[in-house]
Amino acid sequence: MDSIIVTGNGPLSGQIPIAGAKNACLTLMPATLLSEEPLTLTNAPRLSDIRTMSVLLQSLGAEVAQMQGGQVLALSSHAITNHKAEYDIVRKMRASILVLGPMLAREGHAVVSLPGGCAIGARPVDLHLKALEAMGADLELRDGYVHAKAPGGLRGGTVEFPFVSVGATENALMAATLAKGTTILKNAAREPEIVDLAQCLRKMGAQIEGEGTGTITVQGVDRLGGATHAVVPDRIELGTYMLAPAICGGEVECLGGRIDLVAAFCERLDAAGISVEETASGLKVARRNGRVRAVDVVTEPFPGFPTDLQAQMMALLTTAEGTSVLEERIFENRFMHAPELMRMGARIDVHGGTATVTGVDHLKGAPVMATDLRASVSLILAGLAAEGETIVNRVYHLDRGYERVEEKLGAVGAKIERISGQ
Ligand code: EPZ
């Protein structure tokens, strides 16, 4: 397994291009199952999770071709030839559950493996299933699989989510485009990835209003057509690279970055003493002098501070002046990076969903390991600021969500290299 070695070596300077969003692409790809006509996605990120979704879609009969080195995905689901999403693929990636809504809506039946829990929490899919039931689906859980039927097709209904779920909103939204009548999704997720999905579905002919607000209304249509759509920039990759100069000094411009995608995060950076400036081509982040100030962080659904940037923000706060309190409200077990950061000299107390971080003067490099994607990259960020060498092991998590991390950070002056394992 590959490792990444980072050696802290001072201020960074230059530009980092931001890729298309992993989590938007992972919901746009299954949208191909809604239509017989081709769907072309541009600005796709080149990540292992995208390859996993391609394999899943191909197993269902879709054609997936990568062009321009993987930045363009040409998808076509002329015929769905297999209606079972197998455990062996689904278990690798929870986003696989997003094939359920589209397949059921177009074909009237689908069998999809339950994804199971993962390192950051139990992560059930009950809200996905309840939403589809509210649209008339008949669901049965058997042998670890969801067996779903809607023989006469799905019908519109009102779905009121008890709390915000990104994935359940996406599944319900895709299913509703082909349901008979009107579907109203209440307490829907407002994440930019939902807005991106709605915009793509609309290009395919769907009738959707209200995306980006808590209530989305969908008027079902008989069929959807093809479309070409550019994937929205990855706000989590953006936030991660914005933290690089914040942590070790210097000035970096994140190309393609947009403030509307990371407003709550920028507000916290500002409070910590980091400057963020909009430029013609993105966002420029600088830490010119002095120590970062401690700030408190509470993770919330969009437009709040994203849970997917909590680990990286914690890496920044380990060397801030004062004590920061980070409250994780989305997932029950998302502080696995804390003990690893402590191996590097950070002072962190975790109690349930709250971590208290007392800033230290310096971190020290150490061998570390992480069990999820955002935790892994937080250790790389910490390594940029640490004295000496940090070896981040098990980096296959990183490759799920960050394309060419060592190249992007290396290009702005970071000392970082990948060591190939067996
Ligand atoms: C999406 O996961 C993202 N993944 C996650 O990104 C992200 O952390 C999360 O949204 C929150 O922003 C993708 O888009 C592929 P949720 P999702 O449903 O849709 C609970 C990353 O690092 N819940 O909004 O699975 C759930 O357990 C990843 O890129 C239920 O209880 O998240 C969690 O506590 C990790 N029942 C909360 O809701 C359900 O049926 C929010 O989860 C669904 C969710």
Side-chain angles (χ1 to χ4, degrees):
M1 225 175 275
D2 291 3
S3 307
I4 285 194
I5 302 187
V6 194
T7 313
N9 69 332
L12 304 178
S13 152
Q15 297 177 320
I16 298 181
I18 301 304
K22 166 182 82 89
N23 289 344
C25 203
L26 288 176
T27 185
L28 290 163
M29 291 174 75
T32 182
L33 298 172
L34 290 164
S35 170
E36 291 176 9
E37 289 178 37
L39 173 64
T40 304
L41 299 175
T42 62
N43 197 35
R46 290 161 289 188
L47 302 168
S48 62
D49 270 7
I50 301 301
R51 288 191 288 278
T52 304
M53 182 58 86
S54 301
V55 170
L56 175 60
L57 292 172
Q58 283 163 336
S59 78
L60 304 174
E63 288 165 30
V64 184
Q66 293 194 356
M67 294 177 306
Q68 293 181 27
Q71 272 184 307
V72 175
L73 297 174
L75 304 139
S76 171
S77 309
H78 183 66
I80 295 177
T81 52
N82 167 30
H83 295 81
K84 186 171 184 187
E86 296 284 354
Y87 174 69
D88 258 2
I89 309 177
V90 173
R91 71 180 169 81
K92 293 187 184 146
M93 189 181 68
R94 292 184 45 83
S96 304
I97 192 74
L98 295 173
V99 300
L100 177 60
M103 217 170 12
L104 184 59
R106 173 160 154 204
E107 300 284 292
H109 63 111
V111 179
V112 178
S113 170
L114 286 164
C118 70
I120 61 176
R123 300 183 77 186
V125 291
D126 53 324
L127 300 190
H128 299 241
L129 305 185
K130 283 195 182 112
L132 295 173
E133 277 175 339
M135 288 182 232
D138 184 2
L139 305 179
E140 201 189 326
L141 301 185
R142 213 179 334 124
D143 314 324
Y145 283 82
V146 184
H147 295 254
K149 280 190 220 132
L154 293 173
R155 51 167 200 272
T158 298
V159 178
E160 180 141 20
F161 295 106
F163 52 89
V164 171
S165 161
V166 175
T169 303
E170 291 165 346
N171 233 337
L173 176 58
M174 287 192 277
T177 59
L178 291 180
K180 287 188 189 74
T182 308
T183 302
I184 303 176
L185 306 179
K186 294 186 174 170
N187 201 20
R190 293 185 276 165
E191 269 66 3
E193 293 75 23
I194 305 279
V195 174
D196 204 37
L197 173 64
Q199 285 170 352
C200 177
L201 292 171
R202 203 178 287 124
K203 286 180 197 163
M204 294 167 71
Q207 293 189 18
I208 301 170
E209 277 172 26
E211 74 273 14
T213 74
T215 304
I216 304 178
T217 306
V218 186
Q219 190 66 50
V221 295
D222 289 341
R223 59 179 297 282
L224 294 178
T228 297
H229 181 79
V231 181
V232 68
D234 195 318
R235 64 197 166 98
I236 307 302
E237 190 197 28
L238 170 63
T240 302
Y241 289 128
M242 288 171 75
L243 281 167
I247 279 185
C248 60
E251 185 175 280
V252 168
E253 186 178 19
C254 294
L255 302 174
R258 283 176 14 208
I259 209 105
D260 61 304
L261 298 175
V262 282
F265 169 71
C266 287
E267 189 277 321
R268 293 289 73 197
L269 282 189
D270 183 54
I274 304 298
S275 98
V276 179
E277 186 195 325
E278 286 187 85
T279 64
S281 32
L283 297 179
K284 193 180 271 181
V285 184
R287 173 173 155 202
R288 293 196 180 86
N289 42 40
R291 238 172 114 180
V292 168
R293 291 189 290 273
V295 291
D296 294 343
V297 172
V298 179
T299 65
E300 285 171 326
F302 193 85
F305 190 102
T307 172
D308 292 345
L309 284 173
Q310 177 260 109
Q312 301 89 314
M313 189 71 178
M314 186 186 285
L316 172 73
L317 297 173
T318 56
T319 55
E321 191 156 18
T323 300
S324 309
V325 178
L326 291 94
E327 203 183 318
E328 173 54 58
R329 290 204 187 154
I330 307 293
F331 293 109
E332 63 272 34
N333 186 28
R334 214 178 192 184
F335 285 135
M336 282 147 331
H337 40 287
E340 299 299 309
L341 290 169
M342 286 159 76
R343 291 170 49 74
M344 299 174 70
R347 284 182 56 199
I348 307 169
D349 266 326
V350 175
H351 286 287
T354 303
T356 306
V357 181
T358 306
V360 294
D361 285 346
H362 299 288
L363 293 179
K364 289 219 161 59
V368 287
M369 181 156 79
T371 43
D372 88 276
L373 162 63
R374 310 302 172 187
S376 309
V377 84
S378 79
L379 298 172
I380 291 187
L381 290 175
L384 293 175
E387 284 168 2
E389 201 174 80
T390 298
I391 303 168
V392 184
N393 292 305
R394 289 171 69 115
V395 297
Y396 69 90
H397 289 294
L398 260 187
D399 298 331
R400 295 185 58 178
Y402 292 90
E403 61 172 48
R404 300 178 290 122
V405 70
E406 61 279 20
E407 264 176 54
K408 289 191 180 186
L409 285 172
V412 294
K415 206 167 163 213
I416 175 167
E417 65 176 313
R418 179 183 289 253
I419 307 292
S420 293
Q422 292 76 41

